[in-house]
Amino acid sequence: MAEETQPRGIGRVLDSAFDLYRANFRSIALTSLAILFPAALVAGIAQAFYLRSYFSFVGSIFSAGEPRLADLSDITSWGTLANMAAPILLLSQAYVTSCVLSAAPAMMAGHRFTVRELIRLGWSRVWWLALTGLLVGLLITIGAAFLVVPGVIVWWRLSLARVVCVVEAVPVDKALSRSWRLTGGAFWRTVGFAATVSIIVFVLQSAVNVAPAVRQIVASVQDPGAIFRQIPAGWRTLEGLFSALALGLVAPMQDLAWFYWYLDRRARTEGMDIVISAREQLERGA
């Protein structure tokens, strides 16, 4: 039990996240798909149709010298739908994150949640989480608007605010100040961790999206101009479907990775033992 809270390298942090996801894969994945998949499907299909129409529009300009007005109309329509779906998708992602982070400490202690329990558990913190994420994004944007460096510093020091907001059940201001304290003196480790997680997420999502990607690669090898041509609506819908699946299955892994990074920072700065705390909470609730 003690080794769970010892400071660890990036590799061990990620291994722990994978292990916890694998141990609770069914409940986490089904919860994520139930909440995130519908919005991700709409956004994914809209994005697929938008991109295909855009490439076709650009291709028509280079090949015929005249833009295809039908493609231009599709770009406007599908782009509007994608923009409308974006806020719903972001809120759905926040809900899944709230479910995963709310349950993670108890999962570490061996508790197994049902899908219904996870959905109910996530509801209590989703609005605080959404507000925290919105404020963090705004502060990063403001910092980056002046110079790149302030934006990077704000991102680094507030990178754990969303995790803190859910795990410690604190309001936005305390989540921000807590993250600021926990991330001190760990700039390059945080950058390395974030980069590694981003690469892993990209690889995993690409693996889920491999079927549509293979078709595009084969078509491009046979005809380099194929990317600028429209493809059947069924294939575009399939691209959106796989994109939604990739997001729904991989997003919880990213949340767990940041949860374990939060544990690492607490272990280094406070020497805490969240496993014992989680187990005590379960025993009191039994």
Side-chain angles (χ1 to χ4, degrees):
M1 181 177 302
E3 66 179 3
E4 288 288 346
T5 58
Q6 292 300 314
R8 56 188 65 196
I10 292 176
R12 290 192 62 197
V13 167
L14 295 174
D15 286 343
S16 298
F18 274 111
D19 290 342
L20 192 62
Y21 190 18
R22 184 168 57 248
N24 299 272
F25 177 77
R26 184 179 182 277
S27 59
I28 293 177
L30 289 179
T31 298
S32 180
L33 291 177
I35 297 172
L36 186 54
F37 181 76
L41 180 61
V42 174
I45 291 176
Q47 187 71 14
F49 274 77
Y50 170 83
L51 288 176
R52 292 299 178 179
S53 298
Y54 175 79
F55 285 135
S56 178
F57 177 74
V58 173
S60 69
I61 295 177
F62 284 103
S63 61
E66 296 182 2
R68 285 168 48 95
L69 296 181
D71 289 331
L72 185 59
S73 177
D74 287 343
I75 290 173
T76 303
S77 300
W78 290 110
T80 301
L81 180 58
N83 290 333
M84 291 173 60
I88 302 175
L89 179 60
L90 290 175
L91 184 58
S92 299
Q93 286 183 284
Y95 200 151
V96 171
T97 298
S98 181
C99 294
V100 172
L101 294 180
S102 296
M107 285 180 175
M108 286 180 62
H111 185 73
R112 296 292 179 263
F113 291 91
T114 65
V115 173
R116 180 175 298 180
E117 288 172 337
L118 281 178
I119 293 176
R120 186 169 60 248
L121 193 62
W123 177 255
S124 63
R125 298 303 301 173
V126 61
W127 298 110
W128 282 111
L129 176 65
L131 183 58
T132 301
L134 182 64
L135 184 56
V136 169
L138 180 61
L139 291 174
I140 293 174
T141 302
I142 293 174
F146 293 97
L147 287 171
V148 174
V149 174
V152 173
I153 292 175
V154 173
W155 164 83
W156 158 44
R157 300 306 298 266
L158 300 182
S159 59
L160 293 178
R162 296 169 77 247
V163 181
V164 171
C165 173
V166 177
V167 175
E168 299 187 16
V170 296
V172 178
D173 59 330
K174 292 185 178 180
L176 298 182
S177 61
R178 185 94 166 100
S179 176
W180 195 275
R181 289 196 300 272
L182 289 175
T183 54
F187 175 74
W188 288 113
R189 292 191 78 244
T190 303
V191 169
F193 173 77
T196 304
V197 171
S198 298
I199 293 172
I200 291 175
V201 167
F202 174 77
V203 170
L204 292 177
Q205 290 184 335
S206 298
V208 178
N209 273 316
V210 67
V214 167
R215 180 203 177 279
Q216 183 59 55
I217 292 172
V218 172
S220 299
V221 170
Q222 295 174 343
D223 179 9
I227 192 174
F228 296 110
R229 299 192 183 95
Q230 281 284 20
I231 62 175
W235 272 106
R236 284 178 281 174
T237 302
L238 190 65
E239 287 181 351
L241 174 64
F242 274 86
S243 176
L245 282 174
L247 181 60
L249 292 175
V250 177
M253 174 58 212
Q254 187 173 20
D255 295 331
L256 289 175
W258 279 102
F259 167 72
Y260 271 97
W261 187 249
Y262 157 81
L263 293 188
D264 180 82
R265 294 311 308 156
R266 285 199 65 178
R268 291 176 185 276
T269 59
E270 301 174 357
M272 62 87 207
D273 194 334
I274 198 170
V275 180
I276 293 178
S277 176
R279 180 162 295 177
E280 289 175 347
Q281 290 177 13
L282 284 176
E283 291 173 351
R284 286 197 300 269

